[in-house]
Amino acid sequence: MPNASDAPLVGQEYEVEVGPVAHGGHCVARTDAGRVLFVRHALPGEKVVARITDGEEGSRYLRADAVRVLEASKDRVEAPCPYAGPGRCGGCDWQHAKPGAQRRLKGEVVAEQLKRLAGLTPEEAGWDGTVMPADGDKLPAGEVPAWRTRVQYAVDDQGRAGLRRHRSHEVEPVEHCMIAAPGVSELGVEKRNWKGMSAIEAIAATGSRDRQVVLTPRPGARLPIVELDRPVSVLRVHEGDGSVHRVHGRPFVRERADDRTYRVGTGGFWQVHPKAAQTLVEAVMQGLMPRRGETALDLYCGVGLFAGAIAQRVGEGGAVLGIESGKRAAEDARHNLQDLPRVRIEQGKVESVLPRTGITEADLVVLDPPRAGAGKSTVAHVSGLGARRIAYVACDPSALARDLGYFRENGYRVRTLRAFDLFPMTHHVECVAILEPAEKGR
């Protein structure tokens, strides 16, 4: 017989008072019986009808959507996007909140994660608690910035391009994604039928006029003839091993930041917001203040963005080592920085390559790890190098807070922290923390 604790609750509705925001694009609420709900499409202080979307009787918490708003927050607006809302596209978490409220909510999440996982108050982290918009992105309520220069479209069984619904493989077909950058929208991907494809990634470089689409065919499907509204390079994902092959055009796009051009091949990381790379380079350089002749490490270096910026500032007497796990990205980094002989790029996982280098000290370190963070052992190794300053770039507040806690255990304190709204309309936020030896801050 089925266990009563396994009885699904999906579809049940509860009238709840919405509590604080939580990491992940939702708010916390409780039913009259005390069950914890993670509610999307709600705002703190509202009274809503929440419909359960995931969970069962024995679940520690339940996921839900606010399907009716009984008492609205003053921060609520009508979602500008017709595809936003319960059960629809899962790409934007905060279409229903004013832009200023979105940034405030993100700041509350960062502060909560810092306190819970690192034991730090904003003051102790040298942070004023604000999340800064990218320059020019202070839009009035009801308007949406078109910022996303890389859009991963899914394709349904009928060949229609769309976006995934929240925590689902189901496709929400769209005629236009409002947060897609103009260079993506002008390709006209949504207007074309993609029968036989499972995904299309559209990329519009901001440092050049380069445009690219990467097609992932369904098993056994033939690649279509691609005719879009603008000149575009075409690549395909190989069915067997997931490798990417050029069909026609360049196998890379060209981006610019810090007065340098960077080649970014497929699979290579580049910030999605058009102003993000420059914003982050400036924040990292202002925090590190590189000096002539210094040595530096750029860990998880991607195509060499921070390594290039540091190398230009430490001069010919300095040295920079970049470590990147992606083979193609490491090749791009070597190409991008070939005019700077003081830079060396090693390919492999940071936790494996860094100990093998034999490096025992460095003046500066930059870490820009993937969403999961750097981890305890890498933080311990970096801390042992005695750097006068460390810059930690993070796209996930919880990973950031955990690693900052590890740094504190290893003798480093946070000197300053800055947060940037480089993913408007979503719950994501980018942070730059600058660390220094703890005894220096006493």
Side-chain angles (χ1 to χ4, degrees):
M1 292 180 62
N3 191 322
S5 66
D6 295 333
L9 297 175
V10 174
Q12 291 199 22
E13 295 185 353
Y14 299 89
E15 188 175 305
V16 295
E17 301 251 357
V18 181
V21 64
H23 181 34
H26 48 251
C27 297
V28 180
R30 289 182 182 271
T31 67
D32 290 340
R35 299 294 300 272
V36 175
L37 306 184
F38 289 162
V39 187
R40 281 173 61 82
H41 311 292
L43 293 171
E46 292 187 327
K47 181 179 285 187
V48 304
V49 174
R51 180 181 297 155
I52 305 302
T53 58
D54 186 30
E56 49 200 29
E57 200 63 59
S59 299
R60 197 160 54 92
Y61 59 83
L62 306 173
R63 297 183 184 276
D65 283 343
V67 292
R68 289 197 303 283
V69 179
L70 306 177
E71 294 179 12
S73 164
K74 61 180 175 55
D75 292 323
R76 177 174 284 275
V77 295
E78 189 72 29
C81 177
Y83 307 106
R88 305 297 299 278
C89 171
C92 291
D93 309 292
W94 300 117
Q95 287 264 356
H96 58 287
K98 295 176 181 177
Q102 294 181 33
R103 293 191 292 272
R104 189 169 65 251
L105 292 170
K106 296 180 189 193
E108 290 173 9
V109 168
V110 173
E112 188 272 335
Q113 295 289 298
L114 286 174
K115 186 64 178 176
R116 186 166 64 86
L117 298 175
L120 293 171
T121 64
E123 292 76 20
E124 290 170 330
W127 177 44
D128 63 5
T130 62
V131 176
M132 298 298 295
D135 289 344
D137 278 346
K138 281 195 172 182
L139 297 178
E143 289 191 30
V144 176
W147 59 271
R148 194 170 187 91
T149 60
R150 294 169 179 242
V151 178
Q152 181 79 41
Y153 295 96
V155 181
D156 68 10
D157 292 338
Q158 299 175 50
R160 297 176 298 178
L163 301 163
R164 299 283 184 193
R165 291 171 184 158
H166 182 61
R167 292 175 59 82
S168 171
H169 292 294
E170 293 185 28
V171 179
E172 178 76 23
V174 301
E175 294 180 4
H176 174 59
C177 174
M178 294 185 76
I179 65 170
V184 169
S185 296
E186 69 184 10
L187 294 177
V189 170
E190 300 104 328
K191 298 186 295 184
R192 194 184 191 285
N193 187 275
W194 298 97
K195 196 76 171 175
M197 300 297 103
S198 65
I200 305 114
E201 183 178 16
I203 300 167
T206 53
S208 65
R209 293 294 299 168
D210 294 347
R211 304 288 181 264
Q212 189 179 89
V213 294
V214 184
L215 306 180
T216 303
R218 295 178 185 270
R222 298 182 63 181
L223 208 65
I225 297 173
V226 178
E227 295 178 349
L228 292 172
D229 295 349
R230 293 289 187 276
V232 63
S233 298
V234 178
L235 294 88
R236 70 165 292 170
V237 178
H238 190 268
E239 184 180 322
D241 59 4
S243 59
V244 180
H245 301 272
R246 182 179 69 89
V247 177
H248 67 76
R250 291 191 183 96
F252 57 84
V253 296
R254 294 162 297 176
E255 299 283 3
R256 277 193 67 79
D258 199 43
D259 295 325
R260 292 185 66 86
T261 296
Y262 289 85
R263 184 181 81 181
V264 185
T266 302
F269 176 77
W270 190 261
Q271 290 285 343
V272 179
H273 193 291
K275 295 174 182 171
Q278 186 64 36
T279 297
L280 295 175
V281 163
E282 290 175 358
V284 169
M285 294 305 108
Q286 288 166 7
L288 293 181
M289 294 191 299
R291 301 167 185 164
R292 308 292 285 184
E294 287 192 313
T295 60
L297 298 177
D298 182 5
L299 308 182
Y300 317 93
C301 72
V303 299
L305 174 63
F306 298 118
I310 294 173
Q312 292 183 119
R313 289 161 174 81
V314 298
E316 293 182 4
V320 181
L321 171 66
I323 301 178
E324 166 57 36
S325 62
K327 184 177 180 180
R328 178 58 194 268
E331 291 173 356
D332 285 340
R334 293 187 186 109
H335 170 85
N336 294 332
L337 306 178
Q338 60 186 323
D339 63 315
L340 299 169
R342 52 194 172 275
V343 179
R344 179 164 60 96
I345 304 296
E346 294 284 347
Q347 191 258 317
K349 293 184 177 180
V350 168
E351 59 268 28
S352 301
V353 174
L354 184 56
R356 291 204 308 263
T357 63
I359 293 173
T360 57
E361 58 183 28
D363 297 306
L364 304 171
V365 181
V366 179
L367 301 95
D368 187 5
R371 191 168 299 280
K376 193 168 189 176
S377 62
T378 296
V379 168
H381 191 125
V382 169
S383 300
L385 300 175
R388 69 171 179 84
R389 287 207 178 163
I390 297 170
Y392 191 113
V393 183
C395 61
D396 185 272
S398 60
L400 169 68
R402 279 194 300 270
D403 284 349
L404 291 184
Y406 298 146
F407 271 113
R408 187 165 65 173
E409 292 171 5
N410 285 278
Y412 274 81
R413 65 181 283 272
V414 185
R415 176 184 173 89
T416 60
L417 186 144
R418 298 171 69 185
F420 301 96
D421 189 18
L422 302 180
F423 308 90
M425 301 289 154
T426 79
H427 74 272
H428 299 289
V429 59
E430 196 86 12
C431 296
V432 175
I434 304 297
L435 299 101
E436 64 183 8
E439 63 271 14
K440 187 175 180 180
R442 289 175 182 164

